[in-house]
Amino acid sequence: MIRRSGYGWLELVIGILFVFLGIYSFIHPENTLTGIVIVYGVIAVISGIADIIFYVRTERYTGFGPAVSLISGIFSVMAGVMLLVYPNAGKWVMVLLLPIWFIAHCISRLTHLDVIRVTAGRFYYYFTLIVNIIGIVLGFLMILRPVLSLFSAGFIIGAYLILLGIDSIIMAVSKIGSKP
């Protein structure tokens, strides 16, 4: 009998979440970018506060604190508040950063193709290859046409999240993560 490690279950849960998030993005494309911007704003504020607290605690115990923590904390809080107060400005930033993430993520996945072919089989190898090539093409299209990206970002994000979800689900049921 083949026993599964925790890796397969984690990939399965992530895949299901990606598929549901992708479907939500298709149903409500106008809310997708706004939601992402608000989440990033909250995360920026929390991480900025954590950096400032780290600076204060370090200075209290050592007599000097890392000024970079204080400065980055202040900038993070300012950026987070800006994203929360002006989400439309954050949408434009997301339209510029999202393609870079698409391209970087897809290149990262393509570097794992050798291992995938050996462990998961040819079908998953070709599926991953095609999904990530599509992601790179979408990333470059979004860079070349940022205004078009702003209006279609919800649909592009939804489609890509569904593909990533299917990719993760296939990975979860493949031989990767099996224990002999």
Side-chain angles (χ1 to χ4, degrees):
M1 183 166 102
I2 296 176
R3 292 181 37 206
R4 303 286 295 176
S5 69
Y7 178 77
W9 289 108
L10 179 63
E11 280 291 316
L12 182 65
V13 170
I14 288 171
I16 292 169
L17 288 175
F18 276 158
V19 169
F20 282 134
L21 211 57
I23 291 170
Y24 178 81
S25 296
F26 265 122
I27 294 171
H28 303 287
E30 68 282 352
N31 296 338
T32 302
L33 270 181
T34 304
I36 290 171
V37 168
I38 289 172
V39 167
Y40 280 153
V42 170
I43 290 171
V45 169
I46 291 170
S47 68
I49 291 170
D51 283 344
I52 293 169
I53 290 171
F54 176 76
Y55 170 80
V56 169
R57 286 185 177 171
T58 304
E59 184 164 18
R60 184 179 336 151
Y61 291 114
T62 63
F64 63 92
V68 173
S69 271
L70 179 62
I71 293 168
S72 70
I74 292 169
F75 281 140
S76 289
V77 169
M78 288 171 38
V81 169
M82 190 273 310
L83 289 175
L84 293 172
V85 174
Y86 302 109
N88 286 333
K91 287 181 186 179
W92 279 104
V93 171
M94 288 303 298
V95 166
L96 297 175
L97 293 179
L98 195 63
I100 295 169
W101 174 75
F102 263 47
I103 293 168
H105 178 77
C106 291
I107 290 172
S108 170
R109 295 292 286 223
L110 288 173
T111 61
H112 301 104
L113 282 178
D114 292 338
V115 174
I116 289 171
R117 176 179 258 173
V118 172
T119 57
R122 288 177 38 179
F123 171 77
Y124 184 66
Y125 169 82
Y126 288 116
F127 184 79
T128 301
L129 178 68
I130 291 168
V131 166
N132 288 296
I133 289 173
I134 290 170
I136 289 172
V137 170
L138 285 174
F140 280 112
L141 285 175
M142 288 190 294
I143 287 173
L144 296 174
R145 306 272 187 217
V147 173
L148 180 64
S149 295
L150 180 64
F151 296 111
S152 63
F155 294 112
I156 292 171
I157 292 168
Y160 192 64
L161 285 172
I162 290 171
L163 288 175
L164 278 177
I166 293 169
D167 188 46
S168 292
I169 291 169
I170 292 172
M171 178 71 100
V173 298
S174 72
K175 295 176 187 173
I176 295 177
S178 298
K179 292 182 179 178

